[in-house]
Amino acid sequence: MSSSDRLPLRRTDHDSQPMKRQRTARYYAERVRESCTARVTKTVCAIFLGLVLVVGIDFFILWLTLRPHRPRFHMVEFTVPGLAQPTGFENAEITFNVTVRNSNQHIGIYYDSMVGSVFYRDQRIGSAPLMDPFFQKPKTTTVVDRTFGAATLTVNSKRWEEFMNDRQKGTVVFRLDITSVIRFKVSTWRSKHHRMHVNCDVAVGRDGTILPAWKNKRCPVYFS
């Protein structure tokens, strides 16, 4: 049969479209339930993130208000009175004066203990407790002074000779180490105990008094 003998067929757009799948009531119920679950989950997440944000902002504002700072130590005076005497070791004496500043606005500091040690060439030549336990209010300065005498110094003739040799060069360098156990106080809250270390390098001249370059020098402070 030739093509001219075939009957023409009319194709409509309706015939070219696939048949739509019939949805059941159960399908729509599940879709609604999933939609509700997603909405509840989003709401819970939004509330949780909002609470985290509010708490974070509160802590940040509290930190800005308190602005915690560690104590500041400055070496004010350091003297070895008998340094000009060749036999000064017989009545060797070291006197020092250190200031402790609590620069915090709202944080007090409890000093449960404080011990000072004097070193020369990394060898300890004296050690003793410095102060009884005390509380330092915010924005206050405390003076810590002590004299190490024969009972607390271990200086013999050989060590004194080393002092004399450095004295001839114009400078004798010592180091004052202060170890303290402290607690911070905010209102009625008290922190746990912290062990604090302070290292104060200091140099004296031929007359045994602190050199101007070392006077009022700030001492490094760290915790362990």
Side-chain angles (χ1 to χ4, degrees), residues 19-188:
M19 293 182 63
K20 292 184 179 180
R21 185 177 178 181
Q22 297 294 327
R23 305 296 187 184
T24 64
R26 181 178 180 181
Y27 170 81
Y28 289 109
E30 290 179 354
R31 289 292 301 273
V32 171
R33 183 166 58 250
E34 291 175 359
S35 177
C36 291
T37 303
R39 289 181 181 178
V40 171
T41 302
K42 289 181 179 179
T43 302
V44 172
C45 289
I47 294 173
F48 176 75
L49 292 176
L51 290 175
V52 170
L53 180 61
V54 170
V55 172
I57 292 175
D58 288 343
F59 272 107
F60 181 68
I61 294 175
L62 179 63
W63 181 85
L64 288 178
T65 303
L66 296 177
R67 297 182 64 84
H69 298 289
R70 63 185 64 189
R72 297 178 182 177
F73 286 73
H74 289 84
M75 175 63 70
V76 180
E77 293 290 344
F78 193 95
T79 307
V80 188
L83 194 61
Q85 304 173 9
T87 58
F89 72 93
E90 295 179 354
N91 56 352
E93 189 176 274
I94 293 177
T95 300
F96 60 85
N97 182 322
V98 176
T99 60
V100 186
R101 176 70 176 174
N102 179 8
S103 59
N104 292 290
Q105 292 279 359
H106 306 284
I107 302 176
I109 302 175
Y110 284 103
Y111 291 84
D112 294 332
S113 66
M114 184 178 288
V115 177
S117 301
V118 178
F119 289 80
Y120 172 75
R121 295 184 179 179
D122 291 329
Q123 297 294 320
R124 187 168 63 181
I125 60 175
S127 181
L130 298 182
M131 296 185 68
D132 294 330
F134 67 96
F135 175 72
Q136 189 177 38
K137 295 180 179 180
K139 288 295 182 180
T140 59
T141 301
T142 303
V143 177
V144 178
D145 54 1
R146 181 65 192 258
T147 297
F148 285 179
T152 51
L153 285 178
T154 55
V155 178
N156 52 28
S157 58
K158 182 179 179 181
R159 180 68 69 190
W160 196 264
E161 185 179 349
E162 293 176 348
F163 290 175
M164 293 295 101
N165 292 335
D166 286 345
R167 177 181 177 274
Q168 293 302 319
K169 300 175 185 177
T171 303
V172 186
V173 180
F174 296 90
R175 187 179 81 247
L176 173 65
D177 282 7
I178 297 176
T179 303
S180 182
V181 176
I182 68 172
R183 291 174 295 157
F184 296 99
K185 178 180 181 293
V186 182
S187 185
T188 59

